[in-house]
Amino acid sequence: MNIKPLGDRVVIKKVEAEETTKSGIVLPGSAKEQPQMAEVVAVGPGGVIEGKEITMEVKPGDKVIFSKYAGTEVKYDGVEYTILRQNDILAIVQ
Amino acid sequence: MNIKPLGDRVVIKKVEAEETTKSGIVLPGSAKEQPQMAEVVAVGPGGVIEGKEITMEVKPGDKVIFSKYAGTEVKYDGVEYTILRQNDILAIVQ
Amino acid sequence: MNIKPLGDRVVIKKVEAEETTKSGIVLPGSAKEQPQMAEVVAVGPGGVIEGKEITMEVKPGDKVIFSKYAGTEVKYDGVEYTILRQNDILAIVQ
Amino acid sequence: MNIKPLGDRVVIKKVEAEETTKSGIVLPGSAKEQPQMAEVVAVGPGGVIEGKEITMEVKPGDKVIFSKYAGTEVKYDGVEYTILRQNDILAIVQ
Amino acid sequence: MNIKPLGDRVVIKKVEAEETTKSGIVLPGSAKEQPQMAEVVAVGPGGVIEGKEITMEVKPGDKVIFSKYAGTEVKYDGVEYTILRQNDILAIVQ
Amino acid sequence: MNIKPLGDRVVIKKVEAEETTKSGIVLPGSAKEQPQMAEVVAVGPGGVIEGKEITMEVKPGDKVIFSKYAGTEVKYDGVEYTILRQNDILAIVQ
Amino acid sequence: MNIKPLGDRVVIKKVEAEETTKSGIVLPGSAKEQPQMAEVVAVGPGGVIEGKEITMEVKPGDKVIFSKYAGTEVKYDGVEYTILRQNDILAIVQ
């Protein structure tokens, strides 16, 4: 992947929630909850950001839970990504 | 449990308030007050967060009172958790 | 009491204002002013909170005046308490 | 007086504006402007407040001009006081 | 003058704008623009204010341009003054 | 180019999104999404900005993704540029 | 010019945009865009402002692009100036 985030930013790609309900009905996009689980795609270098030392704790491939509505959505090569600060990532799911 | 919070974040699971009133009537969910008591499920490593040293004071298993509406609710394996900063935990109940 | 506040937080219990007017009429709850006087019930350890050293100046048993609407009200064992930061306590009444 | 303010707080008692107009008509309370002049009644110890060193510059008995609407009004022993931070006191009138 | 401002505060007295238009018509108060030019009347001692070292750059007698609506207006001995922080003074007019 | 940004500011020129849809219809300006991809045109010197050391990470010619609506649009010699802080640049596209 | 800005403030005088459209029609003031280009007229001394070291990067005579709506407009000797912080100047045009 050739997006290189700056500073403490992280590029994530949302993991789609199950698209089929228990009864087997396929839900159209708008009827599903906003997914909050994502996979890390690219990670900025960290360092001193706005006068504060930031160490990057996530790495590409990590599955993460992130703060709903955080970050900026960008479309690149037809794929939707979200670019957010590491601070908007709440937890790593192992 | 396999959610690993980042920084000074804490994963809690709300403790349901008594579901039966004194007269013995079972209250449906919406008629009960938002519970503010929870059990700590996972605790981030703390350390220097946004340039400030944070020591984690809570540990898994602690019963805590937390700031109403604080944090982000996430559903994981069908269970509802709240991920919040330690600073939104007001007190430990012993 | 078994609520242990975190950081610079303080648990207080409001002191009810006089419930009888001079003419001897008992006022119902809603006709009385919001009491701003309270007794300290439990005090956090202080220390470095959000990067700032905080020394606790109040102790259990102190009668205090606190900032109206500050803090979070919690009900515990049927008693109403308020948990607030020491900084929302304005003065000690001796 | 037995109210001991915490930190950089100051207890003041408003000085009533002249209650009689030049023509000799006594004005009811609501027709008078909000007084901004007060006498200092009690002064907190100052020191390190929220990580900043504060030296108290006012002392009991000082006549001061304070920032309108600043602070919290409290009634104590039937007298109305205002508790505010020293920073909301604009000037000392000598 | 016997108002002694605290900290980095400055007492100024607005300089009335010309009260006569070019055509010689005297304008009533409300038809004139809010004056932004003032004369410095008293200056606080400066020093460490809220943890920051402030050096006072203005002195009594200086004509200054100040930030519209900044500060607090006070009436003292029948004269209207404005008390503001030095930081709300934009420039000295020489 | 003769615009020299100050501090940590960067001048960028938006890269127009494809102006033709797959079916070959040319879209008028208002029907296209706000482009978020740009080319860096000029970069400020960085250094200590508002008390914080900022190192410039982008250079003229870089293709960048920037925070939608960030910065100020200016028209210069008939060309539209956006001037924003480096911090509003999310990532470099390589 | 005898306006001496304080701290990191800068006095600028807006450069009027072309007053004639390509077709030769003279535009009245209100039909023209708010100009964002200005000439620096006077520069404050910089130094430690609100606890942060500020070095002045602009000098009288510089043509600058500034942040729309930033600063305070003042009329002095019949001329309109804007007084703003250096930080609201985006770039120098050479």
Side-chain angles (χ1 to χ4, degrees):
Chain A
M1 153 144 215
N2 53 5
I3 297 180
K4 181 189 144 201
L6 287 183
D8 61 342
R9 288 206 176 76
V10 176
V11 182
I12 60 175
K13 191 165 159 287
K14 290 184 189 170
V15 175
E16 283 302 317
E18 282 301 319
E19 274 168 51
T20 321
T21 62
K22 285 178 181 170
S23 59
I25 299 166
V26 178
L27 288 169
S30 64
K32 290 179 300 182
E33 272 196 359
Q34 175 81 356
Q36 277 180 266
M37 192 101 43
E39 187 178 330
V40 173
V41 173
V43 178
V48 178
I49 317 285
E50 304 272 296
K52 290 168 194 160
E53 178 73 38
I54 310 276
T55 309
M56 301 312 284
E57 312 281 354
V58 297
K59 54 180 192 305
D62 279 353
K63 293 272 186 310
V64 296
I65 297 172
F66 62 99
S67 187
K68 229 184 295 196
Y69 310 119
T72 300
E73 304 199 343
V74 296
K75 204 166 194 167
Y76 186 73
D77 280 355
V79 184
E80 285 236 336
Y81 298 100
T82 298
I83 305 181
L84 36 58
R85 313 197 88 109
Q86 178 176 262
N87 196 30
D88 289 319
I89 295 182
L90 306 175
I92 299 175
V93 181
Q94 289 169 322
Chain B
M1 155 145 211
N2 52 4
I3 297 180
K4 181 189 144 201
L6 287 184
D8 61 343
R9 287 205 176 78
V10 176
V11 181
I12 61 175
K13 191 165 160 287
K14 290 184 188 169
V15 175
E16 282 302 318
E18 283 300 319
E19 274 169 50
T20 322
T21 62
K22 285 179 181 169
S23 60
I25 298 165
V26 177
L27 289 168
S30 64
K32 289 179 300 182
E33 273 197 358
Q34 175 82 355
Q36 277 179 268
M37 191 99 45
E39 187 178 330
V40 174
V41 172
V43 178
V48 178
I49 316 285
E50 304 272 297
K52 290 169 194 159
E53 178 73 38
I54 309 276
T55 310
M56 302 311 284
E57 312 281 354
V58 297
K59 54 181 193 304
D62 280 353
K63 294 273 185 306
V64 296
I65 297 172
F66 62 100
S67 186
K68 229 184 295 196
Y69 310 119
T72 300
E73 304 198 343
V74 295
K75 205 167 194 168
Y76 186 73
D77 279 356
V79 184
E80 285 236 336
Y81 298 100
T82 298
I83 304 181
L84 36 58
R85 313 196 88 109
Q86 179 177 261
N87 196 30
D88 289 320
I89 296 182
L90 306 175
I92 299 175
V93 181
Q94 288 170 321
Chain C
M1 152 142 213
N2 53 5
I3 296 180
K4 181 189 145 201
L6 288 183
D8 60 344
R9 287 205 176 79
V10 176
V11 181
I12 60 175
K13 191 164 160 288
K14 290 183 189 172
V15 175
E16 283 301 317
E18 282 300 319
E19 273 169 51
T20 321
T21 62
K22 284 178 182 171
S23 59
I25 297 166
V26 177
L27 289 168
S30 64
K32 289 179 299 181
E33 273 196 358
Q34 175 82 355
Q36 276 180 267
M37 192 99 46
E39 187 177 331
V40 173
V41 172
V43 177
V48 179
I49 317 285
E50 303 272 297
K52 290 167 193 161
E53 179 73 39
I54 310 277
T55 310
M56 302 310 285
E57 312 280 355
V58 297
K59 55 181 192 304
D62 279 353
K63 293 274 185 305
V64 296
I65 297 172
F66 62 99
S67 186
K68 229 184 294 196
Y69 310 120
T72 300
E73 304 198 343
V74 295
K75 204 167 193 167
Y76 187 72
D77 280 356
V79 184
E80 285 236 337
Y81 298 99
T82 298
I83 304 181
L84 36 58
R85 314 196 87 109
Q86 178 177 261
N87 196 30
D88 289 320
I89 296 182
L90 306 175
I92 299 175
V93 181
Q94 289 169 320
Chain D
M1 148 138 216
N2 52 5
I3 296 180
K4 180 188 145 202
L6 287 183
D8 61 343
R9 288 204 175 78
V10 177
V11 181
I12 60 175
K13 190 164 160 289
K14 290 183 190 173
V15 174
E16 281 302 316
E18 283 300 320
E19 273 169 51
T20 321
T21 62
K22 284 178 181 169
S23 59
I25 297 166
V26 178
L27 289 168
S30 64
K32 290 179 299 181
E33 273 196 359
Q34 175 82 355
Q36 276 180 267
M37 192 99 45
E39 186 177 330
V40 173
V41 172
V43 178
V48 179
I49 316 285
E50 303 272 297
K52 290 168 193 160
E53 178 74 38
I54 310 275
T55 310
M56 301 312 284
E57 312 280 356
V58 297
K59 54 182 192 304
D62 279 354
K63 293 273 186 305
V64 296
I65 297 173
F66 62 99
S67 186
K68 229 183 295 196
Y69 311 120
T72 300
E73 303 199 344
V74 295
K75 204 167 194 167
Y76 186 72
D77 280 355
V79 184
E80 284 236 338
Y81 298 100
T82 298
I83 304 181
L84 35 58
R85 315 196 86 110
Q86 178 177 263
N87 197 29
D88 289 320
I89 296 181
L90 306 175
I92 299 176
V93 181
Q94 289 169 321
Chain E
M1 148 138 218
N2 52 5
I3 296 180
K4 181 188 145 203
L6 287 184
D8 61 342
R9 287 205 176 77
V10 177
V11 181
I12 60 175
K13 190 165 160 289
K14 291 183 189 171
V15 175
E16 281 303 315
E18 283 299 320
E19 273 169 52
T20 321
T21 63
K22 285 177 182 171
S23 59
I25 298 167
V26 177
L27 289 169
S30 64
K32 290 179 299 181
E33 272 196 0
Q34 175 81 355
Q36 277 180 266
M37 193 101 42
E39 186 178 329
V40 173
V41 173
V43 178
V48 179
I49 317 286
E50 303 272 297
K52 290 167 193 161
E53 178 73 39
I54 310 276
T55 310
M56 301 312 284
E57 312 280 355
V58 296
K59 53 180 193 304
D62 280 353
K63 292 273 186 307
V64 296
I65 297 172
F66 62 98
S67 186
K68 228 183 297 195
Y69 311 121
T72 299
E73 303 199 343
V74 295
K75 204 166 194 167
Y76 186 72
D77 278 356
V79 184
E80 284 236 337
Y81 298 100
T82 298
I83 304 181
L84 36 58
R85 314 197 86 109
Q86 177 176 263
N87 197 29
D88 289 320
I89 296 181
L90 306 175
I92 298 175
V93 181
Q94 289 169 321
Chain F
M1 150 143 217
N2 52 5
I3 296 180
K4 181 188 144 202
L6 287 184
D8 61 342
R9 288 206 176 77
V10 176
V11 181
I12 60 175
K13 190 165 160 288
K14 289 183 189 172
V15 174
E16 282 303 316
E18 282 299 319
E19 274 169 51
T20 322
T21 62
K22 285 177 181 170
S23 59
I25 299 166
V26 177
L27 289 169
S30 63
K32 289 179 300 182
E33 272 196 359
Q34 174 82 355
Q36 276 179 268
M37 192 101 42
E39 187 178 330
V40 173
V41 172
V43 178
V48 179
I49 317 286
E50 305 272 296
K52 290 168 192 160
E53 178 73 39
I54 310 277
T55 310
M56 300 312 284
E57 313 280 354
V58 297
K59 54 180 190 306
D62 279 353
K63 293 273 187 309
V64 296
I65 298 172
F66 62 98
S67 187
K68 228 183 297 196
Y69 311 120
T72 300
E73 304 199 343
V74 295
K75 205 166 193 167
Y76 186 73
D77 279 356
V79 184
E80 284 237 337
Y81 298 100
T82 298
I83 304 181
L84 36 58
R85 314 198 87 109
Q86 178 176 262
N87 196 29
D88 289 320
I89 296 182
L90 307 174
I92 299 175
V93 180
Q94 290 170 321
Chain G
M1 149 138 218
N2 51 5
I3 296 180
K4 181 188 145 203
L6 287 184
D8 61 342
R9 288 206 175 78
V10 176
V11 182
I12 60 175
K13 190 164 161 288
K14 291 184 189 171
V15 175
E16 282 302 316
E18 283 300 320
E19 274 169 51
T20 322
T21 62
K22 285 177 181 169
S23 59
I25 299 167
V26 177
L27 289 169
S30 64
K32 289 179 300 182
E33 272 196 0
Q34 174 81 356
Q36 277 180 268
M37 192 102 41
E39 187 179 329
V40 173
V41 172
V43 178
V48 178
I49 316 287
E50 305 272 296
K52 290 168 192 159
E53 178 73 38
I54 309 277
T55 310
M56 302 311 285
E57 312 280 354
V58 296
K59 53 180 192 305
D62 279 353
K63 292 274 185 310
V64 296
I65 298 172
F66 62 98
S67 187
K68 228 183 297 195
Y69 311 120
T72 299
E73 303 199 343
V74 294
K75 204 167 194 167
Y76 186 72
D77 279 356
V79 184
E80 283 237 337
Y81 298 100
T82 298
I83 304 181
L84 36 58
R85 314 197 86 109
Q86 177 175 263
N87 197 29
D88 289 320
I89 296 182
L90 306 175
I92 299 175
V93 181
Q94 290 169 321

